[in-house]
Amino acid sequence: MLHLVEHPIIRERLTQIRSTDSDTAAFRHALHDIARLMCFPVTANLETSVTEVETPLTKTDGHELIRPIVLVPILRAGAGMMQGFSEILSEASVGYIGLYRDEKTHQPHRYYCKMPPNLAEADVIMIDPMLATGGSAADAADELKELGASRIHFACLIAAPEGVKVFEERHPDIPVFTASLDERLNEDAYIVPGLGDAGDRYFGT
Ligand code: PRP
Ligand code: URA
């Protein structure tokens, strides 16, 4: 269920994002662009039904999405991919999950969750730039399923093989879209080569 998103502009923006030469503004621009481009493959299999549309000239067949869309950024860094996704999916509702990793144990701690009421009937798109140990994304998906979501997609920017394995074991039903499958985690559970701390780089903290 791992989809590697290949696109020359994404490759170029990812290089900017990784670089220590990129300041906060450059990092933000590049992440916004990648999120906008990733929205297309992530939503490529959403189902539509045929509907009738009246143009100024005649009636013809049109298409409408069968289900509502809920975007779920994982705070903080997931908020950095919201602009790109919500520009395309302006009709989507938005639910937020707040998680941070404990620096020593690397386990995720949940501090916030606010979801729209239509999770059960929606196509839910979870977004977070980093899939490292996989703990944060897997816990967020647990929470979404407990709240009734059954059609979940996960979009990230960089994944580590260790995190992909954990996530696939815990959520084999959820497709994962990533712009890069990196080499490994280091001893601090950071992705190598990675980009460092996504939240700190996006928010300038
Ligand atoms: C980062 C990132 C993911 C998580 C991934 O968040 O945005 O949510 O780490 O790591 P994992 O796969 O090992 O769980 P972080 O905990 O740094 O919080 P922040 O976004 O608030 O900085
Ligand atoms: N979270 C980050 O922001 N970066 C990593 O490399 C791993 C987890």
Side-chain angles (χ1 to χ4, degrees), residues 68-153:
I69 297 173
V70 175
L71 294 173
V72 180
I74 302 176
L75 301 175
R76 283 179 308 167
M81 294 176 78
M82 262 303 287
Q83 178 172 322
F85 272 83
S86 58
E87 270 173 18
I88 311 289
L89 303 172
S90 50
E91 72 272 55
S93 312
V94 181
Y96 285 96
I97 292 188
L99 291 169
Y100 71 89
R101 287 197 323 178
D102 182 280
E103 281 182 13
K104 289 202 172 66
T105 66
H106 311 135
Q107 293 304 305
H109 293 273
R110 195 178 309 156
Y111 59 87
Y112 188 73
C113 181
K114 181 82 175 171
M115 289 296 141
N118 60 345
L119 276 185
E121 67 259 28
D123 277 301
V124 178
I125 303 174
M126 218 169 65
I127 51 184
D128 189 333
M130 309 306 274
L131 179 65
T133 65
S136 302
D139 271 21
D142 283 345
E143 175 78 14
L144 291 173
K145 287 180 178 176
E146 277 165 30
L147 293 171
S150 61
R151 291 180 200 82
I152 307 174
H153 318 255

Side-chain angles (χ1 to χ4, degrees), residues 101 130 132 189-191 195-199:
R101 287 197 323 178
M130 309 306 274
Y190 273 83
I191 300 176
L195 53 72
D197 188 300

